[in-house]
Amino acid sequence: MELNVNGKVVKVDVSDDTPLLWVLRDELKYTGTKFGCGMALCGACTIHVDGEAVRSCSYPVSAAVGKKVLTIEGLTATDKITQAVQKAWVNHHVPQCGYCQTGQVMSAVALLQKLKKPTDSEIDSAMSGNICRCGTYQRIRTAIHQAAKDLA
Amino acid sequence: MISKSNKTDLSRRLFLQTSGLAAGGLIIGFYLPSVGQKALAQEGAPAAKPIEAPNAFVQISPDNQITIVINKLEMGQGVNTSMAQLIAEELGCDWKQIRSVSAPVNPVYNHTVFAGMQMTGGSSALSSSWLQHRRIGAALREMLKSAAAAKWQVPVQELKVENSFVIHPKKGKLSFGELAEAANRLPLPQDPPLKKEKDFKIIGQSVHRVDAAGKVNGEAVFGLDVQIPNMQYAMILRPPSPGMKIKSLDPKTAKSSPGVTDVIRFGDKVAVLAKNTHAARVGRDALKVEWDEKGKTAFSDESLMQDFRKQAAGKGPAAANRGNVDQLLKESTNNLKAEYEFPFLAHAPMEPMNCTIHFDGKTAEIWSGHQMPTSDRGAAAAILGLAPEKVTVNTVYAGGSFGRRANKISDYTSEACELAKVAKRPLKVVWSREDDMQGGFYRPMTFHSVNIGLDKSKKFLCWDHQIVGQSVIGGSMFEQFMVKDGLESTITEGVSDTAYDFANFRCHQVRAQTPITTLWWRSVGHTHTAYVMETMLDELAEATNQDPLKLRRSLLQKSPRHIEVLDLLAKQTGWAKKKVPQGRAWGLAIHESFGTVVGQIAEVSLSGGTPKVHKVWCAVHCGQVVNPEGAKTQVEGAIAYGLSAALHGEIKIENGIITTSNFHNYPVMRLPEMPEVSVSFVKTTQPPTGLGEPGLPPIAPAVANAIYRLTHQRLRKLPFSRELKA
Ligand code: FES
Ligand code: FES
């Protein structure tokens, strides 16, 4: 199977129904995308496929063929919104254990790509699929507003 | 701002992070000869232990990179930053030059209080390292100064240290990097002076976390991310109920599943090895196993709770007993009687358990988020038949723990070793979320009954308290020093040692057994004891017609830190005026745990049967605050974690099998539910006390007390959803 991940064309030898998450992590070693639940419940595995935030644990690899897959590694290198979000995250002391945070960043970036100045309730709905067991939610909210401001 | 990740970077980062050794150009060697050990036994300062091998904690390279070796697990609490702040402050270095790496296993890194092992837990990182780390930094600073004095031929008193330079008014300045080699040859100073609080430049500053950037760009390496050459992924099928045994196993379908390389039975577990995690999981699902039903007991969470209720009828030993409770109960004409039920809870850290291991028959290397690396190494060595020195334990970032990784029997490390012993190849054992939630260790189920005696005029007479709870340390090495006269502190802490000054007070404990494995869970016994104390206190205030804050204040006169917290909280919220928005109510709770006193006021409304916590004010007395923003994040996180449990948390068991499996039936708090949290610290120069856990105990009772004001319903069974119906 041929995939386009972070702008590179790569070949993988896995069964069609393998969730994209495990192809990225175990086969391609993009370990910035995390595993938390495997049931599209926690958002730790959030990536972008053709610009949409998706849960890679529940996204079969075969469905990604012919599409553009972006992980945190790819976005970090090139994307201004991602960099602004990351900066706001660091400045507002968001990450604790950090395990959920790449997924949080991916969801926040997808939100800011669509809405330049999201309201609290827009943040609520865009971010409610991402669990953080360390309870960094209040700071995530502040950091999204901050990133939106910095990008304006 | 952040560099791109690729494979080479990853392995290099991994090496740096796990080896505890910086790459190239080390000037200060790894272990200093033990010159200091005896010379430094400080007389007249009993709290200060001799400084041992400071160079095991600090490395300075010629290009002025300062590496701090952290002997605690970074699991979110910020130790890689805050512990480094302690050393950096006294060393006098430029914070920007600091980086942190995790320590290997070595006695020099042992906990200063829990002797004989390296461990992270009990909210003790800063409190137990406060003096040790500062003295290490100060000793090295003095050595660097002496080296400069010798080089310049000037008296050491003429020197000062600033931003990683030793400075002389006439001679100029020398960098730490330039001085390190010479400093390393000098003896350890006998009694390095410590800075005064007013001179602190790094302690007390909200410096950014050293691990933040890597955690938002994907570079941070957690246990699950560790890659070693030729590694295979393993998923393990475990007995569905404690004690069940395999009757028959047919591995054929699993073996022929795509990507599967091997199926290995070890004991009553079966591992499926594959080229990736998904293939291993599909292979595991294809295993045909028949379980012997003989070993199975048919219990449920409800049957266990019924049993606890029965056990509460007979009194266990007293963990506290003062005054004459029996007599006063006879005399009392009014009583406040209540019974409380608390469920089993899973830790459910965001990163499911995992362990990476390479065992070649002669040596072994292990990677995981180790909270107790000494005992994890010991367990590994025993299983693999190796001397402990032949086992290298690499501590990598943990995606949360909340107690789960401080495992008394090193469960996931031991299991990986048992498998590796048979498999003899590099592998990573991955737990699914279901494995984690169903095969784990739980906050024990607990039952409380309370009887408060009042006289005719409703004056308080006495407090009688009975707790039935399961041991969290039974059968472990901790039992010998945490159980005294049959009493286990984790069951009654927070009640038996309450700060409330009751002259007539009693607390009995029944140490119950169940087939479920238990463990400390963020704030341990305080998770339930604070709830009962603080909701009953509110009930007492109501029954005796007193303001809940004033009543607490009057009972806490002998505890000045509690008073300071209550006063700060009252000021923060304007308690006296109580401007509570329409449709909402306030609830108050205060509790001490891990040496820290935390008071909270929660502002709550209800829609249907669902509580909404809008705002939480929180006042904290935790001694000096090393990193204020970092400290706040710990309190916010503890509130979220505690609220999550109070609103939703419950492990269900049917027919001996845990049926709760993933976040759909173990819901946890999500962003829209998060209240606005506002934290204030009492200003003090007292040394730091714990902070990872103490923010948790007051939140559930504060919210419950607010809910009572809205509904006149006392919630006695947790989570709230059991009793709060729409
Ligand atoms: S791992 Fe995909 S949503 Fe949880
Ligand atoms: S930072 Fe730990 S789970 Fe979010």
Side-chain angles (χ1 to χ4, degrees):
Chain A
M1 233 176 297
E2 236 176 47
L3 298 175
N4 182 326
V5 181
N6 295 333
K8 280 186 221 140
V9 177
V10 289
K11 276 209 171 72
V12 291
D13 174 23
V14 292
S15 60
D16 282 9
D17 60 350
T18 304
L20 194 46
L21 169 67
W22 300 112
V23 176
L24 294 170
R25 286 185 55 83
D26 297 353
E27 303 283 337
L28 301 173
K29 314 297 180 196
Y30 287 112
T31 53
T33 306
K34 305 299 184 195
F35 164 61
C37 70
M39 286 179 71
L41 295 166
C42 77
C45 65
T46 306
I47 58 163
H48 294 183
V49 177
D50 279 352
E52 292 291 327
V54 304
R55 312 294 182 218
S56 64
C57 69
S58 306
Y59 196 97
V61 60
S62 52
V65 174
K67 298 189 176 139
K68 287 202 170 88
V69 176
L70 280 169
T71 70
I72 188 75
E73 290 89 350
L75 276 173
T76 297
T78 55
D79 181 59
K80 283 219 165 53
I81 296 182
T82 305
Q83 289 159 3
V85 167
Q86 288 167 330
K87 193 171 138 218
W89 248 240
V90 172
N91 287 341
H92 287 272
H93 299 255
V94 176
Q96 288 186 35
C97 86
Y99 193 79
C100 74
Q101 296 300 344
T102 48
Q104 305 277 6
V105 168
M106 294 302 277
S107 291
V109 169
L111 167 66
L112 290 170
Q113 280 170 347
K114 292 204 175 71
L115 298 171
K116 283 214 161 76
K117 215 176 156 228
T119 61
D120 275 352
S121 67
E122 284 162 345
I123 292 175
D124 278 6
S125 58
M127 302 302 291
S128 67
N130 288 77
I131 291 173
C132 173
R133 287 293 279 154
C134 297
T136 62
Y137 299 124
Q138 161 166 313
R139 286 167 191 271
I140 287 176
R141 186 193 295 286
T142 315
I144 291 176
H145 286 308
Q146 181 67 51
K149 228 195 238 162
D150 293 349
L151 286 161
Chain B
M1 85 179 185
I2 290 153
S3 77
K4 197 178 155 201
S5 167
N6 60 38
K7 211 172 150 184
T8 344
D9 264 346
L10 189 72
S11 50
R12 192 176 149 267
R13 281 200 318 269
L14 186 63
F15 170 72
L16 291 179
Q17 192 179 47
T18 59
S19 68
L21 283 166
L26 274 190
I27 291 299
I28 290 193
F30 195 56
Y31 290 112
L32 196 81
S34 58
V35 250
Q37 294 219 12
K38 287 187 196 80
L40 256 169
Q42 260 214 334
E43 277 151 38
K49 294 198 176 156
I51 301 174
E52 287 181 58
N55 296 339
F57 290 86
V58 184
Q59 298 155 8
I60 299 172
S61 71
D63 61 349
N64 288 308
Q65 172 140 122
I66 298 169
T67 304
I68 309 286
V69 182
I70 306 291
N71 62 340
K72 301 281 174 242
L73 169 66
E74 178 56 86
M75 50 189 174
Q77 80 284 45
V79 283
N80 277 19
T81 309
S82 56
M83 305 263 292
Q85 281 182 266
L86 302 184
I87 291 181
E89 177 67 68
E90 295 291 346
L91 191 56
C93 63
D94 179 354
W95 176 254
K96 290 196 289 297
Q97 295 164 341
I98 289 281
R99 59 181 205 117
S100 296
V101 298
S102 292
V105 182
N106 190 291
V108 75
Y109 298 118
N110 282 356
H111 198 282
T112 58
V113 180
F114 307 124
M117 69 186 297
Q118 222 167 303
M119 69 91 75
T120 313
S123 292
S124 67
L126 283 177
S127 59
S128 67
S129 310
W130 172 247
L131 267 183
Q132 181 200 31
H133 276 52
R134 288 174 60 213
R135 283 160 53 79
I136 285 168
L140 292 173
R141 175 195 67 220
E142 293 307 309
M143 289 158 81
L144 289 160
K145 274 165 76 181
S146 299
K151 199 158 183 172
W152 281 325
Q153 295 290 310
V154 297
V156 76
Q157 295 80 353
E158 290 177 7
L159 302 176
K160 64 174 186 175
V161 169
E162 240 172 55
N163 282 329
S164 302
F165 286 98
V166 180
I167 301 166
H168 185 269
K170 297 218 182 69
K171 304 273 181 189
K173 52 188 192 176
L174 286 165
S175 75
F176 283 4
E178 291 170 283
L179 290 166
E181 187 177 5
N184 195 35
R185 289 193 294 266
L186 299 172
L188 262 177
Q190 299 291 322
D191 190 10
L194 296 181
K195 285 191 182 171
K196 298 263 179 308
E197 288 84 23
K198 65 173 176 41
D199 299 324
F200 285 166
K201 291 201 173 76
I202 296 173
I203 291 175
Q205 294 303 310
S206 294
V207 296
H208 291 157
R209 291 178 63 122
V210 295
D211 54 352
K215 285 179 172 177
V216 293
N217 67 19
E219 285 189 359
V221 176
F222 295 85
L224 205 61
D225 305 331
V226 172
Q227 305 287 328
I228 57 174
N230 305 315
M231 180 179 82
Q232 285 178 303
Y233 296 84
M235 291 283 253
I236 295 173
L237 184 72
R238 303 174 179 89
S241 182
M244 275 177 89
K245 305 225 172 299
I246 294 177
K247 200 167 170 186
S248 70
L249 164 70
D250 175 3
K252 273 195 293 304
T253 336
K255 268 189 179 150
S256 59
S257 178
V260 170
T261 52
D262 220 336
V263 174
I264 297 173
R265 176 176 171 178
F266 60 114
D268 284 295
K269 295 179 179 178
V270 187
V272 175
L273 274 52
K275 71 189 284 263
N276 66 49
T277 310
H278 178 68
R281 185 168 188 162
V282 172
R284 182 178 73 170
D285 291 347
L287 283 172
K288 294 203 179 83
V289 174
E290 214 188 317
W291 295 97
D292 189 344
E293 298 278 327
K294 275 206 298 285
K296 188 171 161 181
T297 36
F299 60 93
S300 67
D301 51 301
E302 281 148 25
S303 73
L304 293 176
M305 188 53 87
Q306 271 167 20
D307 183 49
F308 276 28
R309 280 181 172 274
K310 275 194 212 124
Q311 294 191 50
K315 291 220 185 300
N321 192 358
R322 53 180 185 267
N324 195 343
V325 173
D326 278 329
Q327 181 59 33
L328 288 167
L329 279 179
K330 274 189 215 131
E331 288 169 21
S332 62
T333 47
N334 287 297
N335 292 79
L336 303 173
K337 285 190 186 176
E339 293 175 338
Y340 289 80
E341 295 183 5
F342 298 90
F344 288 110
L345 294 172
H347 302 81
M350 212 59 236
E351 177 195 16
M353 296 304 108
N354 59 81
C355 186
T356 304
I357 177 163
H358 187 195
F359 172 57
D360 63 11
K362 291 197 187 80
T363 60
E365 190 162 4
I366 297 171
W367 293 258
S368 192
H370 296 282
Q371 250 180 286
M372 302 201 293
T374 315
S375 48
D376 288 350
R377 185 177 73 160
I383 290 163
L384 299 170
L386 299 173
E389 306 77 58
K390 298 283 179 203
V391 181
T392 306
V393 171
N394 301 287
T395 297
V396 293
Y397 289 135
S401 172
F402 316 113
R404 177 65 180 88
R405 297 173 207 271
N407 195 273
K408 53 191 175 184
I409 57 165
S410 301
D411 74 311
Y412 57 91
T413 306
S414 297
E415 183 188 63
C417 292
E418 279 155 13
L419 175 58
K421 192 176 180 179
V422 191
K424 288 205 178 63
R425 71 194 89 171
L427 36 98
K428 179 195 297 295
V429 177
V430 181
W431 294 51
S432 68
R433 174 59 60 193
E434 291 78 8
D435 296 340
D436 201 65
M437 203 154 299
Q438 300 182 309
F441 290 74
Y442 305 88
R443 192 286 300 269
M445 170 179 271
T446 308
F447 176 81
H448 287 238
S449 75
V450 186
N451 185 359
I452 297 175
L454 306 173
D455 70 8
K456 268 206 291 299
S457 56
K458 294 216 171 164
K459 208 174 108 269
F460 172 80
L461 293 176
C462 64
W463 186 299
D464 194 19
H465 204 129
Q466 166 91 336
I467 304 177
V468 183
Q470 195 178 343
S471 167
V472 298
I473 51 175
S476 75
M477 58 186 170
F478 295 97
E479 198 162 6
Q480 48 185 323
F481 53 94
M482 288 177 76
V483 179
K484 270 203 194 100
D485 307 325
L487 287 164
E488 178 169 333
S489 56
T490 66
I491 297 172
T492 50
E493 59 185 2
V495 174
S496 52
D497 55 354
T498 180
Y500 291 121
D501 189 16
F502 300 126
N504 294 282
F505 177 77
R506 185 165 66 186
C507 173
H508 285 276
Q509 165 183 120
V510 176
R511 223 171 152 220
Q513 307 279 343
T514 84
I516 297 294
T517 44
T518 55
L519 198 58
W520 18 66
W521 187 100
R522 198 172 193 172
S523 82
V524 201
H526 303 281
T527 55
H528 50 87
T529 56
Y531 187 80
V532 178
M533 289 308 287
E534 288 303 292
T535 51
M536 287 309 292
L537 235 287
D538 246 44
E539 221 165 316
L540 179 61
E542 194 196 27
T544 55
N545 218 350
Q546 299 180 73
D547 174 82
L549 195 143
K550 279 198 195 128
L551 171 63
R552 285 174 172 85
R553 217 178 173 287
S554 70
L555 289 166
L556 290 166
Q557 283 306 314
K558 290 185 189 155
S559 307
R561 290 179 311 142
H562 288 75
I563 298 288
E564 282 181 278
V565 164
L566 283 175
D567 291 350
L568 180 57
L569 200 52
K571 203 170 118 199
Q572 232 185 325
T573 52
W575 176 265
K577 296 220 180 75
K578 282 203 204 65
K579 289 202 181 123
V580 188
Q582 181 91 55
R584 300 184 184 180
W586 282 3
L588 161 74
I590 180 169
H591 192 78
E592 175 174 2
S593 60
F594 308 92
T596 292
V597 182
V598 180
Q600 290 170 4
I601 289 171
E603 183 174 298
V604 183
S605 70
L606 271 167
S607 91
T610 313
K612 165 91 187 151
V613 185
H614 299 271
K615 169 124 203 187
V616 179
W617 291 269
C618 184
V620 180
H621 194 309
C622 61
Q624 283 183 64
V625 180
V626 174
N627 185 319
E629 279 306 301
K632 283 182 191 169
T633 66
Q634 286 312 292
V635 178
E636 292 158 12
I639 287 172
Y641 200 77
L643 199 48
S644 203
L647 296 173
H648 311 294
E650 186 177 22
I651 289 289
K652 296 297 288 175
I653 306 165
E654 279 165 39
N655 207 14
I657 292 173
I658 291 174
T659 52
T660 312
S661 58
N662 204 321
F663 294 121
H664 63 292
N665 53 16
Y666 192 78
V668 296
M669 180 192 263
R670 292 168 183 272
L671 186 135
E673 278 183 314
M674 182 74 191
E676 182 193 336
V677 176
S678 153
V679 184
S680 306
F681 297 99
V682 172
K683 284 203 177 57
T684 168
T685 54
Q686 289 170 24
T689 51
L691 201 58
E693 299 169 88
L696 189 146
I699 186 62
V703 172
N705 289 338
I707 292 173
Y708 175 78
R709 243 146 255 146
L710 295 165
T711 62
H712 283 273
Q713 188 183 7
R714 295 285 178 196
L715 301 173
R716 314 272 196 210
K717 293 179 182 167
L718 272 84
F720 296 155
S721 52
R722 282 177 70 195
E723 293 183 305
L724 266 185
K725 299 284 178 244

